[in-house]
């Protein structure tokens, strides 16, 4: 077995090239079938995301160039255009790369957890199409356990590294349970949608979406069973909100000091967390002067994100050490399998010689030959046949002046160093 990993990612290739070599759902079954039928490939898994396309294979000695040629031909991308952006890892380097990818150490956002799910899906797809052999099965199962170990022993994925996630994390720190909190989301763009996803994943079930156009807000609200209101209705519903998160493209503030002050009175001074992640601001800065109103801006969140990125880099050091340790251990296990095969072959060879000579001796004994002479002859022939190949190997190593090779042979034969 020879492990191979080839691919391109956000660090090596443009978006245009990544799109050309991506394996979408329509192409993946055909690709896996072709690799399964390739005589140079024993097993394969294809990982294809917006940031990377990678092929992991158990290949024969000549398989590396064949797989690269196949990738080029499959996507009809010339080798001259593909190869400069292609990276190739073999054996332990391939194992280590897969483990780093699965742990989020090779991601655009360091430590992001989504990639592990994508790797697991790629493995499942390959199994579904009978493209996974025993070696790849063992490799990916080991990789999943390593990713779990990294998540358990490090905090690489525990810090918010997007403004949307940071806003949700901030809310979680201030309120004991988001399940009991009502959140007013102002805007309906991509950022607010991402905020809503994080809130929902953390148990929030009471959301209100306020937007200039109800149609856009309705599309977002349907995903999370949220209520839809217009921007003009915010003063009416603001007293219900424990948390306000705003991100619009409005050139002027939408929520003013007076509006929040009225809401706080209606709430009997129960505090409100307001997170303004819009530029220009959606919430007047004077809101932060009010008692029981806690206002955070995009700059505050960006500072949190930057600190968390640095913290992830620290955690990544420990994660890299775990990956190095585990990849080395898996490589040792792979080498031990090669040793098992060699031992089995050597034992079988010796046993074949023994059975051949023993069969001839039994026939001679049945024909009336002298038993004592037969035993002596059998022992001599058996010894000569068994030591012939090692003896020749010792002679060749000595004649060619290869002391290191000679020492290895002597050690394997149990001879003392001279």
């Amino acid at each position: 077995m020879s492990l191979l990993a080839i691919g391109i990612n956000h660090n090596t290739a443009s978006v245009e090239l990544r799109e050309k070599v991506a394996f979408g759902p329509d192409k993946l079954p055909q690709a896996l079938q072709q690799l399964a039928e390739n005589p140079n490939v024993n097993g394969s898994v294809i990982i294809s995301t917006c940031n990377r396309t990678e092929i992991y294979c158990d290949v024969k000695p000549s398989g590396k160039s064949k797989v690269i040629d196949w990738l080029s031909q499959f996507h009809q991308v010339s080798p001259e255009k593909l190869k400069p952006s292609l990276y190739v890892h073999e054996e332990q380097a391939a194992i280590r790369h897969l483990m780093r990818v699965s742990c989020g150490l090779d991601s655009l956002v360091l430590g992001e957890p989504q990639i592990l799910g994508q790797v697991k899906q790629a493995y499942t797809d390959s199994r579904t199409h009978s493209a996974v052999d025993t070696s790849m099965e063992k490799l990916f199962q080991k990789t999943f356990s390593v990713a779990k170990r990294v998540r358990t022993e490090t905090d690489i994925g525990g810090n918010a590294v997007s403004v949307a996630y940071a806003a949700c994390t901030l809310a979680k720190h201030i309120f004991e349970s988001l399940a009991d909190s009502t959140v007013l989301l102002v805007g309906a763009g991509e950022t607010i949608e991402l905020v809503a996803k994080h809130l929902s994943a953390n148990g929030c079930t009471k959301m209100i979406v306020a937007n200039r156009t109800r149609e856009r807000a309705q599309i977002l609200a349907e995903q999370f069973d949220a209520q839809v209101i217009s921007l003009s209705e915010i003063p009416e519903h603001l007293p219900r909100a424990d948390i306000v998160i705003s991100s619009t493209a409005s050139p002027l503030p939408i929520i003013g000091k007076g509006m929040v002050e009225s809401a706080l009175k209606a709430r009997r001074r129960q505090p409100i967390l307001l997170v303004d992640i819009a530029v220009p601001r959606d919430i007047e800065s004077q809101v932060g002067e009010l008692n029981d109103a806690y206002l955070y801006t995009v700059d505050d969140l960006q500072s949190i994100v930057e600190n968390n990125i640095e913290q992830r880099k620290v955690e990544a050091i420990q994660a890299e050490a775990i990956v190095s340790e585990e990849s080395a251990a898996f490589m040792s296990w792979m080498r031990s399998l090669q040793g098992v095969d060699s031992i089995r072959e050597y034992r079988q060879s010796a046993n074949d010689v023994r059975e051949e000579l023993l069969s001839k001796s039994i026939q001679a004994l049945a024909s009336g030959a002298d038993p004592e002479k037969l035993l002596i002859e059998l022992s001599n022939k058996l010894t000569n046949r068994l030591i012939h190949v090692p003896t020749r190997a010792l002679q060749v190593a000595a004649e060619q002046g290869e002391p290191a090779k000679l020492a290895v042979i002597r050690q394997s034969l149990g001879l003392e160093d001279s």
Side-chain angles (χ1 to χ4, degrees), residues 121-133:
Q121 185 59 54
Y123 162 74
T124 300
D125 290 340
S126 292
R127 287 199 65 188
T128 300
H129 292 90
S130 303
V132 177
D133 66 345

